[in-house]
């Protein structure tokens, strides 16, 4: 009988041979990652309706891992390669040679750099998209790699949304395109002539309506920056003024509370009360004034007194008790001083000795996202108090540089939140990498103050939405959800200029070139705008002419090949526009004979459009799955069906000019996740 591992190896070879795409014209993308960002990127690539009929996706995950959120390896239709090392052998097993793009999405800057160098050894022409936090290292990577590379930071892209939610304002970031600087704003905060387009209707009953048909009544708009300060800057200035109104009595009481422990304080108060009572009795027994009684009491307590047998019995008893109280008071004073010094040093080291604050923002977790949020808040001159379990988190050096107080402790404990003055803060931003710890800290903060504004980071977008609705914890955000569109745009070589976060959605701003002979070539501009999907904001004519912005756009103007259309769109709307601007089927690339099992690199068409064509005689891939744990073995989900004679996958209707990308009613009702 054959050994089990040999059976698994034999089945792996058989399935790999049966499921190998023979001349598959679809672009192939390799995604390395295990968290929610890799999940959203891989799912979007599977659901994308590219001109070639979709994409093939291979994900590389570790042998054994725990997914904190949606599992990328559980996606239906992806090929899974399990390996703990991203080296040359792993990339060869993943079929990187000839692939269209590679996404390195692990939260390890050095590891991603090493993987990029290994991928370059396999194929120097594959487009690489790297996830990095260190900006200096990212600049070096762009110069070091010979392959086309794009380095992005999910923390940098998501931080503005957290800052805006903390200040109860819109996204404070802006972006520049051509000769204009654009920003997101409330309609009431901008002049009507500066409004570029409507982004969303915000209502409690209907929720969020993106890119609405009714432009005039939209609550959130994309506007041209005309030098007026954004609403977030105004809110920041208001917070700075409020921070100056502090309570000096509360500061003194807080310092006294932090000087000694509670037990020593109770003991000292009890001894002092006894001395006060005996002093009053001496004042009455000796028939002296209150000042003389105070003098006699202090001298007797601290230095003792000569015995006098001629005194009355009650006076002798009080003298003895005062001497005993003095013996107890001196060690207690010494204990208070020593304990206070020790507590002060510990509090200074852990950040618990903090003055009372008002109007500041508390940031829990100085990881990638928390550090970016802290830095952006300090740019607006907002006072920040940071909390982290680690004495030296990633953002500790930057916190010292920005003079941000760092409290070392568990944010779920009430004493830690009290030390950060959470009860008097403007907002609490919980941005650590542990969903459970984030939820515990948010609930503990709500116990201290019921109306506290909490911005909660959760990895799973669906879980974040349900937590926000169930626990009423203010605002919950998913970093991967907000950053995924930018990574998808970089991976597919779309010119994604910026990504606009709107509540739980992300709207990419992209520039799409029009290829010769495409569906939009020769058609009017009016067909580009699609309510709820695509909104045209600018057109750059072919030949490098001056960009025509929204004010001068005429829906009757004709689109010509070589034009570049700047749009704000949802992901499916951008997929539709990409298909409409792609070259016709006759211009697609054919695959030479003899290249079985490999995919040639698509040749860029006019204006940067990348296309590839189908090959006759392609074998349909099977839908069975194989799971193995051998090094370099592959797991297969249900593979996408082969293209039919029209170039579309089986079971999918061919796209027509002006057709809606959402052809099924269930897709229209299902909320967009990326």
């Amino acid at each position: 009988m054959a050994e089990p591992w040999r059976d698994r190896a034999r089945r792996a070879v058989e399935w790999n041979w049966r499921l190998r795409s023979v001349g598959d014209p679809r672009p192939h993308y390799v995604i390395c990652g295990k968290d929610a960002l890799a999940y959203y990127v891989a799912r979007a690539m599977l659901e994308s309706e590219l001109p070639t009929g979709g994409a093939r996706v291979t994900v590389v995950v570790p042998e054994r891992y725990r997914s904190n959120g949606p599992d990328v390896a559980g996606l239906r239709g992806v090929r899974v390669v399990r390996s703990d090392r991203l080296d040359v052998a792993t990339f060869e097993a993943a079929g990187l040679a000839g692939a269209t793009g590679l996404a390195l999405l692990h939260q390890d800057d050095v590891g991603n750099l090493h993987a990029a160098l290994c991928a370059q050894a396999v194929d120097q022409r594959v487009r690489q998209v790297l996830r990095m936090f260190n900006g200096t290292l990212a600049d070096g990577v762009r110069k070091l790699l010979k392959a086309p590379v794009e380095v992005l930071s999910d923390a940098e892209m998501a931080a503005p949304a957290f800052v805006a939610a903390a200040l109860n304002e819109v996204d404070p970031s802006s972006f520049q395109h051509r000769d204009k600087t654009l920003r997101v704003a409330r309609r009431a905060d901008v002049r009507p002539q500066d409004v570029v387009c409507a982004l969303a209707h915000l209502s409690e009953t209907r929720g969020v309506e993106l890119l609405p048909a009714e432009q005039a009544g939209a609550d959130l708009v994309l506007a041209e920056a005309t030098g007026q300060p954004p609403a977030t800057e105004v809110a920041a200035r208001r917070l700075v003024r409020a921070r100056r109104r502090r309570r000096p009595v509360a500061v003194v009481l807080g310092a006294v509370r932090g000087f000694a422990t509670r037990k020593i304080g109770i003991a000292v108060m009890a001894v002092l009360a006894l001395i006060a009572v005996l002093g009053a009795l001496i004042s009455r027994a000796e028939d002296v004034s209150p000042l003389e009684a105070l003098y006699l009491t202090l001298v007797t307590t601290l230095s003792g007194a000569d015995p006098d047998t001629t005194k009355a019995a009650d006076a002798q008893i009080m003298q003895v008790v005062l001497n005993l109280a003095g013996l107890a008071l001196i060690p207690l004073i010494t204990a208070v001083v020593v304990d206070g010094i020790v507590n002060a040093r510990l509090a200074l080291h852990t950040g618990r000795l903090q003055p009372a604050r008002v109007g500041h923002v508390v940031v829990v977790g100085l990881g990638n996202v928390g550090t970016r949020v802290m830095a952006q808040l300090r740019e607006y001159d907002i006072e920040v108090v940071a909390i982290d379990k680690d004495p030296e988190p990633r953002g500790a050096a930057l916190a010292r540089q920005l003079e941000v107080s760092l409290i070392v402790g568990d944010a779920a404990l009430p004493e830690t939140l009290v030390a950060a003055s959470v009860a008097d803060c403007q907002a609490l931003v919980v941005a650590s990498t542990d969903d459970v710890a984030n939820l515990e800290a948010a609930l503990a903060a709500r116990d201290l103050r019921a109306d506290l504004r909490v911005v909660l980071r959760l990895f799973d977008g669906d879980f974040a939405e349900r937590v926000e609705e169930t626990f009423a914890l203010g605002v919950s955000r998913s970093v991967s959800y907000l950053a995924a569109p930018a990574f998808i745009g970089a991976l597919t070589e779309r010119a994604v200029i910026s990504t606009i976060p709107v509540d739980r959605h992300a709207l990419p701003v992209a520039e799409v070139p029009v290829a010769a002979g495409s569906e939009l070539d020769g058609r009017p501009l009016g067909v580009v705008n699609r309510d709820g999907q695509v909104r045209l904001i600018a057109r750059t004519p072919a030949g490098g002419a001056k960009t025509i912005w929204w004010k001068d756009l005429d829906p009757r103007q004709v689109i010509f090949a070589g034009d570049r259309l700047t749009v704000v769109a949802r992901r499916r709307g951008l997929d539709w526009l990409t298909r409409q601007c792609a070259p016709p089927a006759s211009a697609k690339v054919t695959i030479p004979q003899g290249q079985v099992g490999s995919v040639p690199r698509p040749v860029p068409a006019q204006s940067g459009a990348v296309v590839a064509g189908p090959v006759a005689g392609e074998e349909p891939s099977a839908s069975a799955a194989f799971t193995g744990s051998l090094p370099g073995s592959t797991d297969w989900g249900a593979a996408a069906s082969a293209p039919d004679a029209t170039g579309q996958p089986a079971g999918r209707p061919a796209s027509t000019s002006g057709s809606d990308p959402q052809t099924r009613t269930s897709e229209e009702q299902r909320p967009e996740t990326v």
Side-chain angles (χ1 to χ4, degrees):
M1 180 181 294
E3 295 293 331
W5 69 269
R6 293 184 178 178
D7 292 340
R8 291 198 299 268
R10 176 178 54 80
R11 288 196 299 269
V13 173
E14 292 175 355
W15 279 114
N16 190 39
W17 178 258
R18 290 179 57 188
L19 298 179
R20 183 185 298 272
S21 298
V22 182
D24 194 335
R26 297 175 299 163
H28 180 210
Y29 296 96
V30 179
I31 299 173
C32 304
K34 60 181 181 179
D35 60 3
L37 179 59
Y39 174 86
Y40 287 130
V41 172
R43 191 175 73 172
M45 299 308 301
L46 290 173
E47 295 177 352
S48 63
E49 299 181 4
L50 301 174
T52 52
R56 292 186 295 122
V57 178
T58 299
V59 296
V60 181
V61 296
E63 286 280 357
R64 297 177 180 86
Y65 69 96
R66 178 179 177 271
S67 178
N68 189 9
D71 187 7
V72 62
L75 282 173
R76 182 178 179 85
V78 301
R79 177 191 176 197
V80 180
V81 176
R82 299 186 182 274
S83 177
D84 292 327
R85 289 181 56 84
L86 296 179
D87 50 15
V88 174
T90 301
F91 287 129
E92 289 178 348
L96 182 63
T100 305
L102 168 67
L104 300 172
L105 305 180
H106 287 290
Q107 293 188 11
D108 181 4
D109 290 0
V110 178
N112 288 339
L113 175 58
H114 177 259
L117 295 174
C118 293
Q120 182 177 263
V122 176
D123 190 344
Q124 289 189 358
R125 297 178 300 169
V126 65
R127 180 174 180 81
Q128 299 187 24
V129 179
L130 278 70
R131 175 188 193 178
M132 281 195 172
F133 174 80
N134 192 319
T136 304
L137 184 60
D139 294 336
V141 169
R142 295 185 180 96
K143 301 176 183 178
L144 181 64
L145 292 180
K146 299 178 182 179
V149 61
E150 186 74 24
V151 183
L152 302 176
S153 171
D154 57 331
E156 184 177 1
M157 288 183 286
F162 282 82
V163 173
L167 302 181
N168 196 22
E169 294 291 340
V170 298
D171 185 2
S173 62
S174 60
F175 63 92
Q176 187 171 3
H177 179 56
R178 304 295 180 180
D179 56 341
K180 300 287 185 182
T181 300
L182 306 179
R183 62 184 176 90
V184 182
R186 291 191 175 96
R187 180 174 288 275
D189 298 333
V190 295
R191 299 179 303 177
Q193 59 267 31
D194 294 334
V195 176
V196 178
C197 69
L199 293 179
H201 282 301
L202 306 177
S203 63
E204 297 181 357
T205 56
R206 300 176 57 184
V208 180
E209 183 183 356
L210 298 177
L211 303 177
E214 183 183 355
Q215 298 284 308
D219 303 302
L220 209 61
V221 297
L222 181 65
E224 181 183 3
T226 56
Q228 300 176 354
T232 305
E233 294 186 15
V234 176
R237 295 172 186 174
R238 186 169 60 250
L239 288 179
V240 172
R241 291 194 298 267
R243 192 183 66 221
R244 297 170 183 165
R245 298 192 296 269
R246 295 180 177 175
R247 297 167 292 182
V249 177
V251 174
V252 174
L253 292 178
V256 172
R257 287 196 302 267
F259 188 71
T261 61
R262 184 179 178 183
K263 292 182 179 180
I264 293 179
I266 293 175
V268 171
M269 295 300 295
V271 172
L272 291 178
L274 177 61
I275 293 174
V277 171
L278 293 176
L281 295 177
I282 288 177
S283 176
R284 296 183 60 183
E286 298 289 341
D287 194 16
V288 294
S289 65
L291 291 178
E292 292 175 338
L294 177 62
Y295 168 74
L296 292 175
T297 301
L298 292 177
V299 170
T300 304
T301 303
L302 299 177
S303 62
D306 295 331
D308 188 0
T309 58
T310 61
K311 289 184 178 181
D314 55 350
Q316 293 179 1
I317 294 174
M318 286 187 292
Q319 186 179 19
V320 171
V321 174
L322 277 177
N323 288 333
L324 294 176
L327 293 176
L329 181 62
I330 293 175
L332 284 174
I333 293 176
T334 304
V336 168
V337 173
V338 173
D339 189 63
I341 294 174
V342 173
N343 286 342
R345 295 190 63 179
L346 291 175
L348 288 173
H349 178 70
T350 59
R352 292 182 179 275
L353 188 58
Q354 299 289 334
R357 295 177 170 86
V358 177
H360 60 291
V361 177
V362 179
V363 178
V364 178
L366 285 188
N368 293 351
V369 178
T371 302
R372 296 287 187 184
V373 172
M374 174 189 68
Q376 191 163 11
L377 287 170
R378 290 301 297 147
E379 289 179 2
Y380 290 111
D381 198 23
I382 297 176
E383 189 173 11
V384 179
V385 176
I387 301 176
D388 201 292
K389 293 181 180 180
D390 187 359
E392 286 295 326
R394 174 176 286 237
L398 183 59
R400 289 189 290 267
Q401 180 181 349
L402 298 177
E403 298 181 352
V404 172
S405 301
L406 174 60
I407 299 177
V408 180
D410 188 357
L413 300 178
E415 52 267 26
T416 305
L417 298 176
V418 170
S421 301
V422 169
D424 298 319
C425 71
Q426 170 72 12
L428 173 68
V429 180
V430 189
S432 73
T433 56
D434 189 346
D435 283 1
V436 176
N438 290 348
L439 191 55
E440 289 178 349
L443 294 175
R446 275 296 177 86
D447 289 339
L448 294 178
R449 178 178 160 192
D451 61 342
L452 177 63
R453 184 170 186 80
V454 179
V455 183
L456 184 63
R457 176 191 181 183
L458 296 173
F459 277 82
D460 190 349
D462 181 69
F463 180 53
E465 182 177 1
R466 296 181 186 278
V467 166
E468 182 176 340
E469 294 176 354
T470 304
F471 294 96
L473 286 177
V475 181
S476 54
R477 291 285 182 263
S478 171
V479 175
S480 304
Y481 172 86
L482 295 172
F487 282 86
I488 296 167
L491 191 61
T492 56
E493 299 187 71
R494 292 172 177 168
V496 177
I497 303 165
S498 180
T499 302
I500 301 174
V502 179
D503 193 64
R504 300 199 160 277
H505 305 272
L507 298 176
V509 182
E511 189 177 56
V512 183
V514 180
S518 63
E519 295 287 347
L520 290 184
D521 187 6
R523 302 194 64 186
L525 283 176
V527 301
V528 177
N529 289 321
R530 300 173 67 85
D531 296 338
Q533 293 295 329
V534 182
R535 189 66 61 195
L536 179 66
I537 62 174
R539 172 198 179 192
T540 303
K546 185 178 179 181
T547 300
I548 304 173
W549 287 94
W550 75 98
K551 297 178 181 179
D552 301 320
L553 288 178
D554 189 343
R556 297 170 296 179
Q557 293 176 354
V558 178
I559 303 173
F560 297 102
D563 290 354
R564 307 185 72 88
L565 306 178
T566 304
V567 297
V568 181
R570 303 185 72 174
R571 180 177 55 81
R572 290 189 177 92
L574 189 57
D575 287 344
W576 169 83
L577 184 61
T578 304
R579 295 197 310 274
Q580 297 297 308
C581 294
S586 59
K588 295 180 181 178
V589 178
T590 59
I591 299 176
Q593 296 291 335
Q595 294 190 2
V596 178
S598 63
V599 180
R601 186 176 311 281
V603 178
Q606 185 176 355
S607 304
V610 180
V611 295
V615 174
E618 179 185 356
E619 295 181 1
S621 55
S623 59
F626 163 74
T627 303
S629 57
L630 292 177
S633 63
T634 57
D635 296 347
W636 285 82
S641 57
D644 56 15
T646 63
Q648 299 291 339
R652 177 184 296 174
S655 60
T656 58
S657 173
S659 61
D660 195 331
Q662 295 177 334
T663 56
R664 295 189 298 268
T665 305
S666 59
E667 291 185 357
E668 295 176 353
Q669 296 175 350
R670 182 177 58 195
E672 188 174 39
T673 57
V674 176

